[in-house]
Amino acid sequence: MSVSRRDVFKFGAGSAAGLALTPLPWKLLDDTSIWTQNWSWVPKVPRGEIKTKYSACTLCPAGCGLKARCVGEQPVSLAGVAAHPVSAGRLCPLGVTAHHVAFHPKRIRRAFRRVRQGEKYACVPSRTEDATAAVAQAIQKGSRVVVLDGRPDRTASLIYRRAAASMPNAAYVPVRSEEGATLRALAELTGAAPGTLAFDWSGARTVVSFGTPLLDGWGGPGQQLEGKRLIQVEPVLSRTAGRADKWLAAKPGTEAFVALGIAQIRTGEGMALADVEAITGIRKEDLEALAREFSDQGPSIAIADGGYGPQEVRAVAALNLISGCIVRRAGIPMPAGFEELPAPAELASLPDGSVQVLIAVEPYGLPAALVKRKLAKDALVVALASCLGGLTRRADYVVPVPAALEAVCDTGAPEGASAAAFGIAGALMPAPEGVADAAAFLASVVPGLPAEEAVLQARAEAIHKSGRGQLFRFASGEASAVKDVSAEDFWTALNEGACWTDTAPAAFKVAANPGPAVTLEPPKADAAYPVTALGSGWRAASGEAPVSPLLTKIYQESELRQASDVAALNPATAKALGLEEGREVRVESRAGSATLRVALDPGIMPGVVRLSCGPSFEYAAGAADPADASLLCKLGDARTVPVRLSRA
Amino acid sequence: MIPYRGILLFVAGLGTSLAAGWIGLPAVLYERSPQPVQFSHKTHSGTAGMKCEDCHAVRDDGTFSGIPALAKCAECHAEPMGTTAAEKQFVEKYVKANREVPWHVYSRQPDNAHFSHANHVKLGKLACETCHGDHGKTETLRPFERNRISGYSRDIWGPSLARFTSAGRTGMKMDDCMSCHRDKGVQDSCLDCHK
């Protein structure tokens, strides 16, 4: 019997139908996909006995408590600590994946140098000793040295300050983020010492936030706002604005005038509501309701930690003097030998072109254009960083330092917390061989500097000696008064992840007079540049600092920070300009221009374009001059920049 | 000329695929291997009067002990206590040699899935049998059927290739967990299991 082609097709058709009635196709598909996950070269989490260790997240100053499940020396998962007195169990997506940062694709494990090769720069392997020698040589010549601290207010920062004080011609400069701007302004208004004021979150009922990302990365993960009414004043529907009880969309650059309107109603000294309405675009009725709410639903907090200028922050800070929600907070006791250090310098106050040697510790989230202005021609720049990004793109030498959870570090309370706190974030895994912390690098340049662990212990001793506050041990869930714990037990408990919190803060008596008047100029319309560019994504931990590229496969980096090549517009603005989603758009200001991709976002006010403040994380090793990677810095230096848009 | 040749060929093809899919596939896909020791749960829970938690317990820190380590067995079996060949072999090969038994774990999940026995047993009050069947009453350990492609136990997909039996879902895939969570009204999110 011969078999024809038709026979084969009929048999095949029957087979195909039969296959569809069996689990074979999808079983094989399922099994094959699992097989691809188990290829030998796919990195795997180690298996073994699981031990629980307590530490703290150090990706941002909030220092949330961490409970780590570890296999050997490898943490395999992180979770919050419910009993932690500051973070209360919360941990943001970045903190949940903090243990990934050590394995980031941009992780630096070896020192390297950037050398110019024609029009481009190349990265060549180097040694930490070469960077040390270059810095030591420059110091001997009397060069002006600046130690730029990208993560100030830690105990390690005291060592950097001591290093700067020990060099003949050096200054210590902390990189101040927008967090804490309101409290700094309040301190200036009242004459209080910096760092001694805090908001009374437990006593507040209403919070009026001017552009502050309270639910989007500010301070600790949102715990201060429970039970409070939040009114957000800003031009875009940010995550915080979307979750606030009320959102008032003020025109960009005019938010502080709302504060003047509230002050006018409360004290008679401010700005007439009709004028505020004309400037901000917020209706007079809404302004009156806001002012009434601020006073009638108090005590209230007014906060402007959103990257505003000094006068704007001052206008908002002054409102707190009439709302009664400020407390005086004692600082963390200083370790012995560090009480008398020269005051830090401010980056903006350094003369332009004066910095001949810049040692930048964890240089992410820097105002790139400002840093560039302060550098002398042919300045030597050494970046001490765990991952590529930020100033590593501009540095002559890049020296690796431990990544998050690889070295011992201290943590405090999040910005604005009512009481001081102190904890030690123990290392959960070893740093790569040859990688040492920034204090060790400075000690090789400035002999005699103490090791970080010794200073941490001295600080713990100072805290214990003060007899103030409580010690929380999470492993056992116990809280003890510090005076009931021996110094040795105190240090041991801290190293096991315990946390110290200070006693309740004292009330701060405010003057009846709200303080000197501020001078605010409404933004001037610029007919040639009719659109306002607004920066986004400044927040340190989600700005430039390395974050897990996986983020538990739920949050992607693109959801936390706008990509640097994207211009986000209101659909009406886009339509008026003939622009569509994904199209190229030319963004021009008086200072520069850039070509970006359009993304439509109805939460952005018409006439506004939102640009990324932080640069792309992609390391442009071959670029001619990556110093000005920050787009907004290219276009201008302010938080809002007049621009014009056109099809590219 | 064979009558209905075309239909017969179609049916032949259909039958061949059905046989391949339902009978051939499991025979070829799974590699059977016996457990290294023929352990009798019935003897230990019956004659020896032990309970599940004597060997499989949630520790004080919330972790689950899983299959007990050799030290647990050696507490009683430093020398053979009975007369079975299996126990004699166990003592000679493992206890006296101080060698951990390389058990095949029927319920081993992928590394990205975190399962908490403490949550399910202590908080959820689930009986062991709900997920592990009547394993605790067996005289011998059934062979371990390893999927040659994925490397996991057949128990994960479930004994039935169709994934359903008259008793309902019998597997341990994510879908099975989610289904039980839905039935019991448990709210969950990705992070609960994929940490």
Side-chain angles (χ1 to χ4, degrees):
Chain A
M1 184 181 73
S2 65
V3 174
S4 68
R5 243 184 351 198
R6 187 173 288 197
D7 294 337
V8 171
F9 284 140
K10 284 181 182 164
F11 184 88
S15 298
L19 265 183
L21 296 173
T22 71
L24 190 143
W26 41 88
K27 181 78 177 83
L28 286 185
L29 194 64
D30 185 66
D31 289 342
T32 308
S33 68
I34 296 171
W35 170 68
T36 63
Q37 294 166 17
N38 293 325
W39 286 331
S40 59
W41 56 87
V42 173
K44 291 180 183 49
V45 173
R47 280 194 174 256
E49 192 191 344
I50 297 206
K51 285 197 160 66
T52 300
K53 294 183 189 173
Y54 289 91
S55 183
C57 176
T58 53
L59 292 181
C60 87
C64 299
L66 276 184
K67 181 174 159 183
R69 290 165 58 236
C70 301
V71 175
E73 288 186 320
Q74 176 62 51
V76 297
S77 85
L78 304 178
V81 179
H84 197 283
V86 180
S87 61
R90 290 179 179 83
L91 199 59
C92 75
L94 304 179
V96 165
T97 53
H99 57 309
H100 295 180
V101 175
F103 304 95
H104 198 285
K106 305 293 184 186
R107 177 70 201 274
I108 303 169
R109 289 195 161 80
R110 299 271 182 274
F112 64 88
R113 281 194 67 187
R114 282 177 68 250
V115 294
R116 196 168 189 124
Q117 290 179 352
E119 287 298 314
K120 293 187 178 182
Y121 286 85
C123 295
V124 300
S126 181
R127 299 176 312 152
T128 304
E129 293 79 7
D130 295 339
T132 312
V135 171
Q137 200 177 24
I139 292 173
Q140 273 193 336
K141 280 196 247 173
S143 302
R144 175 73 169 154
V145 178
V146 162
V147 179
L148 188 66
D149 190 354
R151 291 178 54 203
D153 301 324
R154 297 175 297 156
T155 297
S157 305
L158 297 175
I159 301 174
Y160 310 156
R161 285 174 70 181
R162 170 81 74 79
S166 305
M167 290 187 252
N169 184 13
Y172 166 84
V173 174
V175 175
R176 292 276 174 227
S177 75
E178 288 82 350
E179 268 193 11
T182 313
L183 286 171
R184 287 195 290 274
L186 261 172
E188 277 175 32
L189 277 171
T190 57
T196 58
L197 297 182
F199 293 117
D200 182 12
W201 291 102
S202 58
R205 287 171 62 197
T206 301
V207 178
V208 180
S209 158
F210 295 79
T212 312
L214 289 177
L215 293 172
D216 197 8
W218 186 92
Q223 73 267 29
Q224 297 98 328
L225 294 170
E226 277 182 20
K228 295 170 187 40
R229 189 163 159 79
L230 171 63
I231 298 139
Q232 185 79 355
V233 180
E234 66 176 318
V236 299
L237 185 62
S238 64
R239 285 191 184 86
T240 302
R243 286 160 178 78
D245 296 293
K246 191 192 282 187
W247 169 44
L248 294 174
K251 291 179 192 166
T254 69
E255 296 92 318
F257 289 89
V258 174
L260 293 184
I262 297 174
Q264 175 71 24
I265 291 178
R266 283 296 316 270
T267 65
E269 289 182 33
M271 182 179 276
L273 288 195
D275 294 335
V276 176
E277 181 182 18
I279 292 170
T280 64
I282 298 177
R283 294 181 320 156
K284 204 168 141 193
E285 296 78 16
D286 291 333
L287 292 167
E288 278 170 354
L290 175 62
R292 266 201 311 277
E293 203 164 348
F294 188 79
S295 60
D296 298 347
Q297 301 299 322
S300 304
I301 290 173
I303 182 165
D305 286 2
Y308 296 102
Q311 290 290 307
E312 292 166 297
V313 177
R314 204 174 167 96
V316 173
L319 291 178
N320 292 288
L321 298 176
I322 52 178
S323 67
C325 240
I326 307 297
V327 290
R328 189 182 288 281
R329 177 175 105 168
I332 303 174
M334 284 292 207
F338 287 85
E339 298 91 340
E340 303 289 332
L341 283 171
E346 296 300 319
L347 187 62
S349 61
L350 299 177
D352 287 358
S354 63
V355 179
Q356 290 163 308
V357 178
L358 179 66
I359 304 172
V361 182
E362 304 200 47
Y364 308 112
L366 303 182
L370 184 60
V371 170
K372 192 181 178 191
R373 269 214 310 274
K374 302 302 172 184
L375 289 174
K377 193 169 176 294
D378 298 330
L380 172 68
V381 178
V382 177
L384 309 177
S386 59
C387 285
L388 295 174
L391 200 64
T392 63
R393 278 172 282 212
R394 171 67 182 81
D396 300 295
Y397 288 91
V398 176
V399 174
V401 294
L405 305 179
E406 283 185 343
V408 175
C409 184
D410 58 324
T411 60
E415 182 55 50
S418 304
F422 181 82
I424 290 183
L428 294 180
M429 49 192 163
E433 200 181 309
V435 172
D437 59 39
F441 177 86
L442 287 169
S444 62
V445 172
V446 179
L449 280 183
E452 190 171 340
E453 186 154 345
V455 184
L456 279 172
Q457 188 162 10
R459 193 150 209 188
E461 278 167 16
I463 294 171
H464 181 263
K465 205 169 158 188
S466 73
R468 299 188 334 236
Q470 286 203 299
L471 180 73
F472 289 86
R473 297 175 219 245
F474 310 114
S476 59
E478 290 169 4
S480 329
V482 166
K483 55 183 171 50
D484 297 334
V485 178
S486 71
E488 198 182 327
D489 285 346
F490 187 71
W491 173 242
T492 303
L494 285 175
N495 277 286
E496 288 168 356
C499 173
W500 169 80
T501 56
D502 205 351
T503 43
F508 179 72
K509 288 192 175 37
V510 301
N513 189 326
V518 295
T519 310
L520 289 181
E521 288 291 328
K524 290 187 176 56
D526 188 335
Y529 298 90
V531 178
T532 306
L534 187 65
S536 79
W538 60 268
R539 181 76 171 88
S542 59
E544 276 187 88
V547 297
S548 165
L550 297 176
L551 273 184
T552 72
K553 295 189 268 187
I554 297 170
Y555 295 96
Q556 296 186 19
E557 213 165 311
S558 56
E559 289 180 27
L560 288 182
R561 48 195 182 200
Q562 185 177 309
S564 62
D565 64 343
V566 164
L569 300 175
N570 185 285
T573 308
K575 190 174 176 187
L577 294 165
L579 296 167
E580 294 145 13
E581 176 93 29
R583 285 276 194 180
E584 285 200 327
V585 59
R586 188 174 165 77
V587 182
E588 263 183 283
S589 75
R590 291 190 186 279
S593 67
T595 301
L596 306 171
R597 280 185 299 116
V598 172
L600 298 183
D601 184 351
I604 296 176
M605 185 177 278
V608 174
V609 59
R610 191 178 62 196
L611 306 176
S612 174
C613 260
S616 162
F617 202 76
E618 288 305 309
Y619 175 64
D625 186 6
D628 284 322
S630 168
L631 178 63
L632 206 61
C633 294
K634 260 175 92 170
L635 298 180
D637 230 353
R639 186 170 176 268
T640 58
V641 177
V643 297
R644 60 177 171 230
L645 307 178
S646 55
R647 287 180 77 130
Chain B
M1 176 80 167
I2 300 171
Y4 306 108
R5 181 188 168 92
I7 294 173
L8 283 174
L9 281 168
F10 182 90
V11 170
L14 186 77
T16 306
S17 287
L18 287 174
W22 290 104
I23 300 167
L25 176 65
V28 165
L29 184 62
Y30 296 110
E31 176 187 37
R32 291 163 73 99
S33 49
Q35 292 282 4
V37 177
Q38 272 311 316
F39 177 85
S40 169
H41 276 100
K42 193 171 175 185
T43 301
H44 286 79
S45 61
T47 315
M50 295 174 78
K51 299 189 291 296
C52 302
E53 46 272 22
D54 287 334
C55 293
H56 309 291
V58 176
R59 300 187 191 102
D60 290 339
D61 65 358
T63 55
F64 185 62
S65 62
I67 297 175
L70 185 73
K72 187 77 186 168
C73 312
E75 282 174 12
C76 298
H77 292 276
E79 291 294 334
M81 297 179 75
T83 55
T84 63
E87 191 206 356
K88 186 164 184 256
Q89 187 210 29
F90 166 67
V91 171
E92 293 299 321
K93 198 170 171 188
Y94 295 103
V95 177
K96 291 198 169 147
N98 198 24
R99 209 175 118 224
E100 287 294 337
V101 181
W103 298 108
H104 299 300
V105 182
Y106 301 110
S107 56
R108 169 150 286 162
Q109 291 286 331
D111 292 334
N112 67 332
H114 165 73
F115 179 84
S116 166
H117 276 91
N119 280 350
H120 289 80
V121 173
K122 295 211 162 197
L123 292 179
K125 307 269 189 277
L126 275 185
C128 308
E129 293 80 3
T130 308
C131 300
H132 296 287
D134 274 343
H135 199 58
K137 296 185 183 130
T138 54
E139 289 238 30
T140 56
L141 297 176
R142 56 188 163 85
F144 181 77
E145 292 182 275
R146 182 186 153 273
N147 185 311
R148 291 175 204 267
I149 300 176
S150 70
Y152 288 99
S153 160
R154 184 173 184 166
D155 287 45
I156 302 301
W157 179 270
S160 161
L161 273 186
R163 301 250 300 127
F164 289 91
T165 64
S166 55
R169 289 175 175 267
T170 52
M172 289 179 166
K173 289 181 74 63
M174 176 172 151
D175 212 32
D176 302 303
C177 302
M178 301 298 296
S179 168
C180 187
H181 282 199
R182 266 196 303 274
D183 292 343
K184 295 198 185 292
V186 173
Q187 277 195 337
D188 43 32
S189 73
C190 307
L191 275 179
D192 290 333
C193 303
H194 298 291
K195 298 185 195 288

